[in-house]
Amino acid sequence: MSGGTKGRSGSASVKSGKFGVLALIFISVVINYMDRTNISVAANAISQDLELSPVQMGIIFSAFAWTYSIMQIPGGMIVDAVRVRILYPFILIAWSLATVVQGLVSSLAALVGCRMAIGLFEAPSYPANNKIVTHWFPERERASAIAVYTSGQFIGLAFLMPVLAVIQEWFGWRGLFIVSGLIGIVWAVVWYFLYRESGDSQGVVKEREEDAGQAETHSAAAKPVRAAPQQATINWQSLRLAFSNRKLWGIYIGQFCLGSTLIFFLTWFPTYLAEYRGMGDLKTGFLASIPFLAAFCGVLLSGFTSDWLVRRGFSNEFSRKTPVIIGLMLSCSMIGANYVESTAAVTFFLSLAFFGNGLASITWVFVSLIAPKNMVGLVGGCFNFVGGLSAVIIPVAIGALAHDGDFRPALALIGALAVVGLCSYLFLVGKIEQITLHAGEEGSAVEPQAA
């Protein structure tokens, strides 16, 4: 076989391996969000069956994020230390079992406990996703890869919302949780047998090294760079760095604001349609899918456009930030739903806002581009920790604001937070540069280097 044929065969094998890994992450994200959001589909039935108030339902919605947020930083450290092939099936089985148990309990305290358990075991999942993509994909392809797996939370729920509503119609809210949990357990076994670490693929290792070599050549041509060994260890100094850098705080705050829009759709949105807009559960399930489809289109458009701009020679400043800024601007349109009455108009404004949220949802790429090389997991954990606080605060805030059935103040809050996120990316993040450590120091001093 000729060298050219071997090269084409190797390239095809690498591409096939990367697509296979991306498919595994995509399905895992769909299951992840199914187990996060099935509570929103069941919320109306649960509140009636167990006689729970809006504030109590807000606490149940929020409970997932209590542990999910707290465990982001430890979860990021675990991801840096444990092989993903072992870690991912373990957390999948654990949160799926908690989902099954959720369908067997009958008290507020027990539901809160189950939601906390799900949040605890889902915490390492997104840092793990980001680590997998960072290892398997060169930087020039990373935003597209992140967009594809992130789209799983939107396209999966777009099609699952009606399916989950039908399952609940047939088996009740308890059956909904049991079926969801069993799906996750089966998928954990599939993941273990199909996933392989990127180091097992020589083609991926070579591609990554070539990509790094090109970046170093470009950086050296642009300006001299002091040698700085990337041997940062995960310790308190590293944690201090992760919470003291202005650029990192820019993406953290932006993620909180981005998450606030997302968490509304993942928790209170079906209740908003059913109670405030007076729609039945099945109609709610089908109408709820439309904004998720819009968000799916937004995140794919964002990721592929961003990588296309990079390949065309545009800077990371323009290629990566532009979709996020435009997306956050569109997310502000949610407030328009407060001033219309027809179902079509309400659906339009909410879909436009969620399309913008999807457009801005490639923000994980900034973790790869800004974080020190040996702190991707830790910074990813901090990033998701601050973003996850939106899931702690926003459900309870909406429950309090809408305690009398009026959701207009809640939608105004979400729109205002989108403006804050926009300002964060404009004024705090600034130029997209990777943080590097000074020689001989571990996390106590930083020096930007062009990514």
Side-chain angles (χ1 to χ4, degrees), residues 264-274 284 287-289 291-292 350:
F264 166 76
F265 283 96
L266 296 183
T267 56
W268 282 105
F269 180 45
T271 302
Y272 167 79
L273 294 178
T284 291
L287 285 177
S289 69
F292 283 97
L350 293 176

Side-chain angles (χ1 to χ4, degrees), residues 157-182:
L157 292 177
F159 289 107
L160 281 176
M161 281 291 187
V163 173
L164 293 176
V166 170
I167 292 174
Q168 179 174 272
E169 188 78 7
W170 289 351
F171 302 109
W173 64 267
R174 296 183 184 277
L176 173 61
F177 291 135
I178 293 170
V179 170
S180 299
L182 292 176

Side-chain angles (χ1 to χ4, degrees), residues 81-118:
V82 180
R83 292 186 59 159
V84 175
R85 189 183 178 212
I86 303 299
L87 178 64
Y88 225 122
F90 172 79
I91 61 176
L92 258 167
I93 290 173
W95 90 57
S96 298
L97 287 173
T99 301
V100 170
V101 173
Q102 198 174 216
L104 305 175
V105 300
S106 299
S107 69
L108 173 64
L111 281 171
V112 167
C114 288
R115 297 299 296 172
M116 291 176 66
I118 295 169

